[in-house]
Amino acid sequence: MALPQEKLYTIDDIYALPDGKRAELIDGQIYDMAPPNTNHQRISYAIARKISDYIDKKKGNCEVFLAPFAVFLNKDDSNYVEPDVSVICDKSKLDEKGCNGAPDWIIEVTSPSNPQHDYGVKLFKYRTAGVREYWIINPQKLSVMVYDLENDKKSNQYSFDDDISACVYEDLHIIISELLK
């Protein structure tokens, strides 16, 4: 007897969601997203502003985007994510809908309801899609995991008080606790 087939969803299903409902699509599976809380928004905005100011100061070509911003990771119809912060250096990946392909740097701020999603499913997906650097900021534990995916280096865990060096920009240093003062 054959097992029932699990339904695979597409980007059309994401776009068909009711107004105000947010979700991501990874390998045809829909993952509902809770609205971010105030602290989550403060952290996302502060770190995006720090990175953007750095890029502007260096007259760089990369752009920083805050969620909700569509990222079509594999240029297919079964993967759609909205990272909290996306840094994209290849302008050819950008169009009016979002980013087509892997951003250079993705930062996720965990939510209390589902932090394991960022550490498991998304880490694997971002690594295989070609994201160069991935940070997971956990406000509950005041910790940051940094993954240098481009060089396949061992990940490092930091506290909010540590001076964290970005992988994509070696001379960019971020201390999360200072951004939130």
Side-chain angles (χ1 to χ4, degrees), residues 4 21 28 31 35-36 39 43 50-51 58 67 86 111 114-115 125 127 136 141 160 178:
K21 182 168 175 74
Y31 296 88
N39 194 41
I43 293 168
K50 175 78 172 179
I51 297 166
K58 296 285 188 173
S86 299
S111 65
N114 195 12
K125 195 65 192 173
R127 180 187 308 273
I136 304 170
K141 294 183 177 181
F160 273 29
E178 287 185 3

Side-chain angles (χ1 to χ4, degrees), residues 98-158:
C99 177
N100 297 287
D104 293 88
W105 184 4
I106 287 178
I107 299 168
E108 296 282 7
V109 179
T110 63
S111 65
S113 62
N114 195 12
Q116 66 276 10
H117 186 66
D118 294 319
Y119 291 99
V121 174
K122 285 186 177 180
L123 171 60
F124 176 78
K125 195 65 192 173
Y126 292 161
R127 180 187 308 273
T128 58
V131 172
R132 295 170 55 201
E133 181 170 359
Y134 177 41
W135 286 24
I136 304 170
I137 299 175
N138 188 324
Q140 294 74 38
K141 294 183 177 181
L142 301 176
S143 68
V144 182
M145 287 296 299
V146 174
Y147 297 90
D148 182 350
L149 302 176
E150 179 179 41
N151 297 306
D152 203 24
K153 290 187 180 174
K154 186 178 178 208
S155 61
N156 290 311
Q157 183 168 351
Y158 301 92

